[in-house]
Amino acid sequence: MTSAMVSDKKSSLLQMLPVMLCFFTMGFVDLVGSATNFVKEDLNLDPAQAGFIPSLVFFWFLIFSVPTGILMNKIGRKKTVMLSQLLTLVSLLIPIFDSSYVTMLIAFSLLGIGNAVMQTSLNPLVSGLISPSRLASTLTFGQFVKALASLLAPYLMAWGAASVIPTFGLDWRVVFPVFAAVNILSVTMLGATPIQEEKPDKVTGFMECVKLLSIPFVSLCFVGIMCHVGIDVGTNTFAPQILIEKFGLTTAEAVIGTQIYFYFRTGGCLAGSYILTRVPAKAFFAFSVICMILGIAALFIASSQLVVLIGIALIGFGNSNVFSVVFAQALNRQPNEKNEVSGLMIMGLFGGTVFPLCMGFAQGGMGVAGAVGVMAVGVLYLLYFASQIKSENVK
């Protein structure tokens, strides 16, 4: 190995460290779920008022994803990521000083906007730092790092709420200054890291960007992202309800369903980041979908609590790598429109709103089995998508 190759590897590692810290800050958005429960209790909100808070996150993905893809062409990917970090920082600082309902809505709106901008810009920034064959595994590892923040948030809030150590009157809101400090470190490190970016894409208009959906494979990927997020949100929402409806668990006891899902999804991201460097994406994606099919079947059978928990674990593991593979496939198929394609893919996260609505209606008519049926449709679509992935050598 020449000294130039060693120098390039060191340079790449130094670039990836701040990028991976950005993935960690990307996970801050998941604090909204646990925070909503604390806000509801503190302000005595009714269910409708409390439910409006997390819905803001997915709404901003629909609005800001495509414009962010266009913005990257003008100011570059790194500057766009830094802008998203600054938006996230402001959103984290606001609740430290005031926690009224309107203030929290503003804070979580900014958190959602910042996350939409970050997810749209960070993934293509990564694509310019590593080879196409390693993109899926790198993005999967990034999702693992993101999941660490998602897992940390509820523990920080619970510690703040119950801690005998003074938290300056913030109680559960101690999570905000802690995450803000990490956010400042992240944007500082990224700003100090030189990154040579690819030339700006040619597509610059909103309609030209949306027209990329007319490309069959891009539209396949877009729907694939919607299915991934729909299955993710659907499992988190309805898995505990299956345990409650079928086995009479209390709400507190049924939380184990959500915990199992997150643990196996996080573990799946870590495993996938290694497996995808050894196994072609097509084969591993197909295996992941088969895991989800078995998991959905277990939820339908629901013969025992153990069977349901195994099903949830299989869905969590299988769904953990879907986003990264689909995203990488979309970017690699359209290398000259990475920014715009990234915006379209992140807009697909709006599926986190569409799927739960459909599942809610289905549950009203057929019980939780109807909700699981909607998830099954998404899984079957991903099975079809697996057949459309090009076989490629792992390097």
Side-chain angles (χ1 to χ4, degrees):
M1 184 178 293
T2 66
S3 59
M5 293 174 64
V6 172
S7 177
D8 287 343
K9 283 196 170 185
K10 288 183 178 179
S11 176
S12 178
L13 178 62
L14 291 175
Q15 289 174 330
M16 290 305 298
L17 284 175
V19 168
M20 285 300 152
L21 188 55
C22 289
F23 272 103
F24 186 83
T25 62
M26 186 190 293
F28 293 174
V29 72
D30 291 330
L31 69 83
V32 175
S34 299
T36 297
N37 295 320
F38 285 104
V39 174
K40 180 182 179 181
E41 182 178 349
D42 289 349
L43 303 179
N44 295 316
L45 304 178
D46 60 50
Q49 289 176 309
F52 185 64
I53 295 174
S55 68
L56 286 174
V57 174
F58 292 107
F59 174 76
W60 297 121
F61 280 109
L62 178 66
I63 301 299
F64 281 92
S65 299
V66 172
T68 298
I70 298 171
L71 177 66
M72 282 190 288
N73 287 337
K74 297 182 178 180
I75 67 174
R77 295 166 186 169
K78 176 182 171 181
K79 289 182 179 179
T80 307
V81 173
M82 293 182 67
L83 172 63
S84 72
Q85 293 274 36
L86 293 175
L87 288 170
T88 301
L89 178 60
V90 174
S91 73
L92 295 171
L93 293 176
I94 290 175
I96 297 175
F97 302 101
D98 185 57
S99 59
S100 66
Y101 183 61
V102 173
T103 300
M104 298 305 286
L105 288 180
I106 294 172
F108 288 134
S109 291
L110 286 172
L111 185 62
I113 294 170
N115 201 259
V117 175
M118 190 182 306
Q119 294 216 41
T120 303
S121 55
L122 185 58
N123 292 300
L125 181 65
V126 172
S127 72
L129 300 177
I130 42 89
S131 64
S133 64
R134 299 182 68 88
L135 180 57
S137 63
T138 304
L139 292 182
T140 293
F141 186 75
Q143 290 297 309
F144 165 72
V145 175
K146 173 181 178 289
L148 294 179
S150 304
L151 289 172
L152 179 62
Y155 286 104
L156 274 174
M157 284 184 250
W159 172 80
S163 179
V164 295
I165 301 174
T167 55
F168 306 101
L170 293 175
D171 49 70
W172 67 270
R173 289 183 292 138
V174 71
V175 68
F176 293 107
V178 172
F179 278 0
V182 177
N183 199 94
I184 292 172
L185 175 63
S186 176
V187 71
T188 302
M189 288 181 62
L190 183 63
T193 303
I195 296 178
Q196 185 174 357
E197 300 184 32
E198 300 167 320
K199 292 182 179 180
D201 302 337
K202 296 180 180 179
V203 181
T204 56
F206 182 85
M207 291 307 301
E208 289 84 356
C209 183
V210 174
K211 283 180 181 178
L212 289 174
L213 286 173
S214 64
I215 301 173
F217 191 74
V218 173
S219 60
L220 281 174
C221 292
F222 178 80
V223 178
I225 294 292
M226 290 190 67
C227 290
H228 156 71
V229 180
I231 294 166
D232 184 68
V233 177
T235 305
N236 289 331
T237 303
F238 290 93
Q241 294 184 28
I242 294 175
L243 295 171
I244 294 171
E245 180 179 296
K246 297 291 185 180
F247 308 107
L249 271 64
T250 65
T251 301
E253 292 171 335
V255 171
I256 188 174
T258 302
Q259 292 173 329
I260 291 290
Y261 178 79
F262 272 116
Y263 283 132
F264 275 84
R265 193 184 73 170
T266 303
C269 287
L270 181 60
S273 65
Y274 173 79
I275 295 172
L276 284 167
T277 64
R278 300 291 188 273
V279 178
K282 184 182 182 73
F284 186 58
F285 191 89
F287 172 75
S288 298
V289 175
I290 291 173
C291 286
M292 285 193 283
I293 291 174
L294 294 175
I296 291 290
L299 297 188
F300 270 121
I301 297 170
S303 57
S304 70
Q305 183 177 329
L306 178 61
V307 170
V308 172
L309 292 179
I310 291 174
I312 294 171
L314 285 169
I315 296 172
F317 181 85
N319 204 30
S320 60
N321 298 286
V322 169
F323 176 85
S324 301
V325 174
V326 174
F327 203 100
Q329 287 287 315
L331 293 185
N332 289 337
R333 290 286 189 97
Q334 301 296 133
N336 295 324
E337 296 94 13
K338 286 183 179 180
N339 293 348
E340 292 79 4
V341 169
S342 177
L344 290 174
M345 294 304 106
I346 299 303
M347 189 171 70
L349 294 179
F350 187 66
T353 297
V354 176
F355 262 71
L357 287 175
C358 295
M359 293 171 72
F361 283 117
Q363 183 184 17
M366 296 177 285
V368 289
V372 175
V374 174
M375 285 199 300
V377 173
V379 173
L380 290 176
Y381 177 87
L382 293 176
L383 182 63
Y384 168 73
F385 182 87
S387 67
Q388 303 302 303
I389 298 177
K390 285 185 177 180
S391 298
E392 53 188 21
N393 295 325
V394 178
K395 297 180 182 179

